[in-house]
């Protein structure tokens, strides 16, 4: 599993995709599906977590462009498969959310064949002078509809011949945990203050700078920040999420 800090996302939704890891450049226009296969080192099962700052995902194409194409984050499974070993159009994907079926699809769901989707993107970007470079990861498009996810959810997928991938979205700290930590912090602060009043100033200063007081202080601030971020998630945000990969769909 890969832990994902869900609080960094606004309204995440999961897509199951086939990722292409390139061993050679692809420069459009003129790229074919066969060229994509030839330029690919390996493929892997992949989750793309798309995100939107538009309330309730009520988006138009204008909103999507303004919101950086709803980019969020992505994660690859551990398997690396030679694309020449599989009929990618026939790859079957099964998606689970918290152990329950949440979607399924075939490789053919993306423009008939994942390689065709990658070729389309290479050609489209090639016309703008943007090449695919060796080592880049290309996401070929979702094999099934988006699945909303929140903190605490666990999603997993299996792809025939490709293996599996899973993500667990981290739970945010509870308000009770914040109160408990703040209480510990208050007790430590009171102990240091008492030492100072009793003339143990050097010892109090040492504790103030590097002891339990500092640890608890940082923990309280971290919990406060996490809860504040969670509160902000319920409001429109100006943040633009960005995934470091090219997407065909």
């Amino acid at each position: 599993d890969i832990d994902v800090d869900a609080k960094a996302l606004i309204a995440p939704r999961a897509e199951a995709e086939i990722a292409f890891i390139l061993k050679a450049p692809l420069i459009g226009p003129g790229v074919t599906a066969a060229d994509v296969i030839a330029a690919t080192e390996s493929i892997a099962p992949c989750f793309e977590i798309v995100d939107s700052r538009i309330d309730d995902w009520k988006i138009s194409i204008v909103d999507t462009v303004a919101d950086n194409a709803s980019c969020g984050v992505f994660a690859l499974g551990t398997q690396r498969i030679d694309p020449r070993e599989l009929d990618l159009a026939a790859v079957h994907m099964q998606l689970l959310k918290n152990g329950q079926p949440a979607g399924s699809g075939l490789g053919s769901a993306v423009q008939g064949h994942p390689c065709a989707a990658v070729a389309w993107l290479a050609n489209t970007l090639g016309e703008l002078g943007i090449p695919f470079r060796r080592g880049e990861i290309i996401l070929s498009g979702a094999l099934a509809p988006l699945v909303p996810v929140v903190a605490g959810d666990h999603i997993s997928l299996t792809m025939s011949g490709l293996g599996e991938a899973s993500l667990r979205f981290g739970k945010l700290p509870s308000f009770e945990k914040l109160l408990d930590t703040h209480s510990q912090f208050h007790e430590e602060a009171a102990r240091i203050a008492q030492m100072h009043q009793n003339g143990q100033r050097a010892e109090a200063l040492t504790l103030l700078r590097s002891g339990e007081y500092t640890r608890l202080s940082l923990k309280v601030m971290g919990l406060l920040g996490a809860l504040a971020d969670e509160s902000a998630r319920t409001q429109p945000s100006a943040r633009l999420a960005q995934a470091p990969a090219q997407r065909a769909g």
Side-chain angles (χ1 to χ4, degrees):
D1 284 1
I2 301 174
D3 288 333
V4 174
D5 192 358
K7 71 181 178 63
L9 301 172
I10 302 168
R13 296 185 178 187
E15 293 182 343
E17 308 190 23
I18 298 173
F20 288 70
I21 304 170
L22 300 184
K23 63 179 180 180
L26 282 172
I27 303 174
V31 172
T32 66
D35 295 330
V36 172
I37 290 288
T40 299
E41 176 71 31
S42 60
I43 55 177
C46 173
F47 273 118
E48 181 181 7
I49 309 303
V50 294
D51 199 15
S52 179
R53 62 178 180 173
I54 309 301
D55 193 30
D56 294 329
W57 277 84
K58 296 176 180 177
I59 57 177
S60 67
I61 185 61
V62 174
D63 299 317
T64 301
V65 172
D67 198 21
N68 199 29
S70 301
C71 284
V73 297
F74 74 98
L76 304 179
T78 58
Q79 298 84 352
R80 300 292 182 269
I81 305 297
D82 187 334
R84 300 155 193 81
E85 297 178 359
L86 297 175
D87 177 359
L88 297 185
V91 167
H92 181 264
M93 183 280 300
Q94 181 70 42
L95 175 63
L96 300 179
K97 175 181 174 181
N98 300 324
Q100 299 300 315
S104 63
L106 298 172
S108 57
V110 285
Q111 298 190 30
H113 196 288
C115 288
V118 174
W120 172 85
L121 183 58
N123 290 327
T124 300
L125 293 180
E127 292 177 353
L128 300 174
I130 304 172
F132 286 166
R133 296 182 174 86
R134 179 179 181 273
E136 287 191 329
I137 299 171
I138 315 299
L139 310 187
S140 59
L143 306 188
L146 303 176
V147 176
V149 288
V150 297
D153 281 342
H154 176 255
I155 54 175
S156 61
L157 65 82
T158 57
M159 290 186 181
S160 57
L162 267 172
E164 59 188 29
S166 64
L167 284 175
R168 191 180 302 275
F169 291 77
K171 285 183 176 291
L172 293 169
S174 66
F175 187 68
E176 289 74 17
K177 185 175 182 180
L178 171 61
L179 291 177
D180 180 64
T181 305
H182 184 269
S183 176
Q184 296 176 48
F185 170 74
H186 180 76
E187 290 175 2
E188 183 67 10
R191 183 169 76 94
I192 293 172
Q194 187 63 51
M195 291 176 66
H196 188 273
Q197 290 176 2
N198 292 341
Q200 299 173 284
R201 296 184 178 182
E203 294 87 344
L205 184 60
T206 298
L207 287 176
L208 188 65
R209 288 178 173 173
S210 60
E212 184 70 359
Y213 177 88
T214 300
R215 184 188 72 82
L216 291 170
S217 175
L218 293 173
K219 189 172 182 180
V220 167
M221 288 189 290
L223 292 171
L224 280 170
L227 289 170
D229 286 349
E230 170 63 5
S231 177
R233 284 183 61 216
T234 63
Q235 304 297 326
S237 170
R239 182 184 59 81
L240 284 177
Q242 188 171 2
Q246 302 282 7
R247 294 191 296 166

